[in-house]
């Protein structure tokens, strides 16, 4: 019984993050009449109004979130997409991570835990400026050059602002925080 409750909680946390981001970017009241959330706990009752907004989120592009990466005292903005993995990554912020080079194309860092990759494509190609999650290793990748091939388990989380990729070619540490 406890493992099923943990699975339910693990599913609820990314949804709560998505709703928080949606609530911050959507000024209109919820249009859905009521929530169809699971009656798993009495604590879910007060959250029914925000949960009613969930059907309005099929366009993940509306739930984009701006984050700031600081490298060597320089701030670089990036935009996370609305994927489950990006929302789960946003829930970890703020983070300070040690970076190391990987194949002369990306800087990588271990994350404190694995991210939810539900609904993610099987493979993606890393491009300069991409923030990505490599599910097989559980790490963050910041591409400063194009990856060159599709990698199974690579999930693109978002993209750095134009012209910011060169800062990451030699970066050893990054601080990442939510902006909006």
């Amino acid at each position: 019984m406890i493992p099923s409750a943990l699975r339910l909680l693990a599913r609820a946390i990314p949804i709560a993050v998505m709703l928080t981001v949606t609530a911050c970017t959507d000024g209109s009241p919820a249009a859905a009449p009521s929530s169809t959330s699971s009656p798993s706990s009495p604590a879910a009752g007060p959250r029914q109004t925000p949960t009613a907004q969930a059907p309005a989120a099929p366009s993940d592009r509306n739930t984009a979130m701006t984050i700031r990466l600081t490298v060597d005292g320089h701030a670089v903005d990036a935009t996370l997409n609305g994927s489950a993995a990006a929302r789960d990554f946003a829930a970890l912020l703020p983070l300070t991570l040690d970076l190391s080079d990987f194949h002369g194309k990306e800087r990588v860092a271990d994350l404190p835990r694995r991210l939810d990759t539900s609904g993610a494509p099987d493979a993606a190609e890393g491009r300069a400026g991409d923030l990505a999650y490599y599910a097989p290793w559980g790490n963050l990748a910041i591409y400063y050059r194009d990856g060159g091939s599709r990698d199974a388990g690579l999930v693109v989380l978002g993209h750095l602002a134009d012209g910011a990729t060169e800062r990451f070619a030699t970066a050893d540490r990054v601080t990442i925080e939510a902006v909006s």
Side-chain angles (χ1 to χ4, degrees):
M1 189 65 148
I2 290 176
S4 65
L6 289 175
R7 280 193 300 269
L8 184 60
L9 180 60
R11 290 181 186 151
I13 289 173
I15 292 170
V17 170
M18 178 188 71
L19 294 174
T20 301
V21 171
T22 302
C24 292
T25 59
D26 183 11
S28 64
S34 67
S35 170
T36 58
S37 63
S38 171
S40 62
S41 76
R47 297 182 186 193
Q48 288 182 354
T49 301
T51 305
Q53 292 176 356
S59 173
D60 284 343
R61 304 208 189 280
N62 292 336
T63 58
M65 176 182 189
T66 302
I67 61 172
R68 181 159 295 138
L69 295 86
T70 304
V71 178
D72 298 328
H74 299 282
V76 174
D77 285 351
T79 302
L80 295 179
N81 59 39
S83 68
R87 290 189 307 268
D88 201 15
F89 175 69
L92 294 175
L93 302 180
L95 286 173
T96 296
L97 303 169
D98 292 320
L99 300 170
S100 59
D101 194 67
F102 189 73
H103 288 297
K105 296 178 181 185
E106 61 190 277
R107 303 301 278 182
V108 297
D110 293 327
L111 292 175
R113 65 170 171 78
R114 295 200 174 262
L115 300 180
D116 174 11
T117 59
S118 60
D122 292 336
E125 181 178 341
R127 300 200 181 271
D130 280 348
L131 297 173
Y133 174 66
Y134 188 59
W137 293 351
N139 65 12
L140 178 69
I142 304 170
Y143 283 84
Y144 58 90
R145 290 196 180 103
D146 288 348
S149 64
R150 292 180 62 80
D151 289 320
L154 185 68
V155 179
V156 175
L157 304 173
H159 198 77
L160 297 170
D162 290 338
T165 58
E166 65 277 354
R167 292 207 184 278
F168 291 91
T170 59
D172 291 323
R173 182 169 256 215
V174 64
T175 299
I176 308 170
E177 59 191 342
V179 174
S180 68

